Amino acid sequence: MSVVKINVLTVSAEQREVLEKRFASRAHTVENSDGFEWFELLRPVEGTDTYLVYTRWRDDEAFQAWMEGPMKSAHQGTGESGERPGPAASGSTLWSFEVVQQAGPKGA
């Protein structure tokens, strides 16, 4: 079954818009990766400064291949000034899970 990778990002209120714009500007960079199944950027609603970046992959090998290829390239880009912009997040932790059960809406 699939694996889920959740990148837990600590993002100050001042950097939220920056983070979301960066993800929007990189939209579709992951979608054509071999083994990619799903992506969601989850914005905190209340009581936390933690964003969750949820991705699901066929297996850990597909995730690692994306990390070493397209993801690494996307994070080495430059900003409008021609310089590499600083991080929008002040902290990052990667959680890894195996999908052992799943369900979807009936008839979907």
Side-chain angles (χ1 to χ4, degrees), residues 75-104:
H75 283 82
Q76 292 176 345
T78 58
E80 294 174 7
S81 66
E83 294 181 17
R84 188 165 180 225
S90 62
S92 175
T93 302
L94 183 64
W95 295 344
S96 298
F97 299 88
E98 291 180 334
V99 176
V100 293
Q101 292 184 22
Q102 62 185 16

Side-chain angles (χ1 to χ4, degrees), residues 47-96:
T48 185
D49 57 358
T50 302
Y51 274 72
L52 300 178
V53 183
Y54 173 99
T55 57
R56 191 172 73 194
W57 300 86
R58 175 186 59 230
D59 52 35
D60 198 58
E61 290 76 18
F63 172 75
Q64 293 300 329
W66 175 74
M67 287 283 290
E68 291 303 316
M71 193 282 299
K72 191 179 252 184
S73 296
H75 283 82
Q76 292 176 345
T78 58
E80 294 174 7
S81 66
E83 294 181 17
R84 188 165 180 225
S90 62
S92 175
T93 302
L94 183 64
W95 295 344
S96 298

Side-chain angles (χ1 to χ4, degrees), residues 9-49:
L9 302 175
T10 304
V11 182
S12 68
E14 303 81 35
Q15 290 294 321
R16 285 181 168 202
E17 186 176 347
V18 171
L19 178 87
E20 292 179 22
K21 283 183 177 180
R22 287 183 185 172
F23 271 94
S25 72
R26 292 185 207 133
H28 313 297
T29 58
V30 69
E31 294 167 7
N32 293 322
S33 297
D34 182 48
F36 169 77
E37 296 178 357
W38 198 259
F39 162 84
E40 291 177 322
L41 175 61
L42 306 176
R43 176 193 303 139
V45 176
E46 59 186 37
T48 185
D49 57 358

